[in-house]
Each structure stands twice: as C-alpha cells, then as structure tokens.
Amino acid sequence: QITLKESGPTLVKPTQTLTLTCTFSGFSLSTSGVGVGWIRQPPGKALEWLALIYWDDDKRYSPSLKSRLTITKDTSKNQVVLTMTNMDPVDTATYYCAHTIGYCSGGSCYAPFDYWGQGTLVTVSS
Amino acid sequence: DIQMTQSPSSLSASVGDRVTITCQASQDISNYLNWYQQKPGKAPKLLIYDASNLETGVPSRFSGSGSGTDFTFTISSLQPEDIATYYCQQYDNLTFGQGTKLEIK
C-alpha cells in the first residue's frame, strides 16, 4: 500500500525559505522508474506542478519557479524534501507530494501522479 | 511552452446525463495527457492516463479520448458522487489545465 504524507510549517514569513518533507511508504525511490513530485494549489485555484525527482536523481523543475526550488531525496529515510526560497504571499497554497512511475526525456516528463499525499496548507504572511 | 485550454470552466448537469470536458493543446502532444478528479478538500485522483487508459479501480463510466492537440473526457452517466473539479495534465512541463467544476443541476 503506497502512502505519502507532507510535513512542514503551516506559516512562513515573506522572504523566508520554506522546507517541506514528503515521507512515504510502500515503494522505494531506488526502484527503476519511480519518482516523487510536488504540486501546489492556491486556495480556490488550479493545480500547479513544482518539481519532480526520479530514482536515478534526475531532477526537474517548473521553469517559472526553477530559480527558487530545490528537490532532494533521502532513499534510506523514504523522504523527499522540497525547498522554496524567498516566499511571498502569492505562494500561499496547499502543497502536495505525489508518486509516479515514468521518465523524463528532453523537456518533457512522462509522469502520471497515481498516489497523492493529503496535502499541507502553507500560509505566507507577516 | 505548450499551453492547455480546458473547457468549460464550469458545468451543471443532471444525474444520468452524459458529460464531456475538453482540453486543447497548443502543439501536438501525441497521447501524453492525463485526467484527474478532485473532490472538495481532497487530493486529486488520477482517472485516465495516456489520454485513454483507465486507471485501475476507476469506474468504466469514465473515459478519455483524443490525440495530437484535442482531447475529450467523458462521464457516460453522471452520478452524484462525480461532483468534483476535473483537471487535464500534459507532459510538457507537467502543466495542468485550469479545471472544470462539475455540479449537479
């Protein structure tokens, strides 16, 4: 049974760095083809993909946010960590992590997200 | 970047109706398109991958079709539990559509 759960601060101040952790079970990030992605959703708005890391440490980022994002994995702990720098109130959103099996080629990633965490709401406010 | 246009943004239908949502890509994306369902306060759920493949456990009243630039998501007979927002997603930068909020008439 695959499960994922996001953890991190619920409130951050503008300009601060956000660090979110996705802790998962039921799969290994050392298995060929496996990946974990981060997706966010501002209140009442659409989903936005942020970042993706694969079993072989291939990392991909949303072009519009690439300069602010870092994704890493700790295979031994079954965790994926996302950091986002210079937080702004417009970054207020529910942040999800999700499992995929796929690959990236050039600028495209075959990555249907088939298992999702419950999401964590992050509010950016002073 | 490839842009996705999802329509309509909202839809009201009766139980038993056939419901159709479309996504149009600005460039040929082959069949690299997924469909998700998101119920209020819940995480999205993958329904269809690669444009037409039904995810395991998803009821057969859901279906997807299309390739190239034009894609369609269909609910053959709307059920009360299908009330949700539906999103398409393509593989170029993993972009999601703007969503279609489906309500019961």
Side-chain angles (χ1 to χ4, degrees):
Chain A
Q1 178 191 0
I2 289 177
T3 65
L4 304 97
K5 188 173 184 179
E6 307 85 354
S7 60
T10 58
L11 180 66
V12 297
K13 290 180 168 42
T15 75
Q16 286 187 336
T17 294
L18 171 68
T19 299
L20 294 173
T21 301
C22 177
T23 303
F24 56 84
S25 63
F27 66 94
S28 172
L29 249 182
S30 60
T31 300
S32 178
V34 173
V36 172
W38 285 93
I39 303 98
R40 72 177 179 180
Q41 185 174 38
K45 295 189 177 181
L47 300 164
E48 178 183 22
W49 169 70
L50 301 176
L52 174 60
I53 188 165
Y54 276 105
W55 65 285
D56 58 355
D57 214 36
D58 187 2
K59 303 172 185 178
R60 302 300 173 108
Y61 298 100
S62 166
S64 62
L65 293 166
K66 184 175 183 177
S67 63
R68 299 173 54 204
L69 296 172
T70 303
I71 189 169
T72 60
K73 63 181 174 71
D74 187 328
T75 305
S76 64
K77 292 183 178 179
N78 281 352
Q79 291 182 332
V80 171
V81 175
L82 180 75
T83 61
M84 179 180 291
T85 61
N86 195 25
M87 294 293 284
D88 183 272
V90 300
D91 297 313
T92 293
T94 296
Y95 287 76
Y96 297 98
C97 62
H99 166 276
T100 186
I101 294 179
Y103 59 89
C104 293
S105 177
S108 298
C109 290
Y110 179 85
F113 293 114
D114 53 1
Y115 295 91
W116 294 62
Q118 65 190 22
T120 184
L121 176 61
V122 178
T123 301
V124 184
S125 174
S126 55
Chain B
D1 287 358
I2 298 176
Q3 306 302 316
M4 299 300 296
T5 303
Q6 184 176 344
S7 62
S9 57
S10 63
L11 178 57
S12 182
S14 300
V15 172
D17 280 356
R18 183 181 183 88
V19 170
T20 298
I21 298 168
T22 65
C23 262
Q24 186 173 56
S26 58
Q27 300 177 39
D28 187 338
I29 59 170
S30 185
N31 67 333
Y32 296 146
L33 187 99
N34 306 317
W35 290 96
Y36 296 85
Q37 175 193 66
Q38 187 179 31
K39 296 184 177 181
K42 300 294 187 182
K45 175 185 177 182
L46 178 66
L47 299 181
I48 304 283
Y49 64 95
D50 294 352
S52 61
N53 293 308
L54 198 64
E55 178 73 348
T56 303
V58 174
S60 59
R61 64 180 180 275
F62 296 101
S63 65
S65 64
S67 66
T69 60
D70 296 303
F71 300 87
T72 300
F73 172 81
T74 301
I75 306 174
S76 61
S77 178
L78 184 65
Q79 300 302 302
E81 61 265 32
D82 300 337
I83 298 313
T85 300
Y86 293 84
Y87 294 94
C88 60
Q89 180 204 24
Q90 51 100 354
Y91 292 144
D92 182 71
N93 291 322
L94 297 173
T95 309
F96 289 89
Q98 289 307 298
T100 297
K101 186 174 183 179
L102 179 56
E103 299 173 328
I104 292 286
K105 190 182 294 183

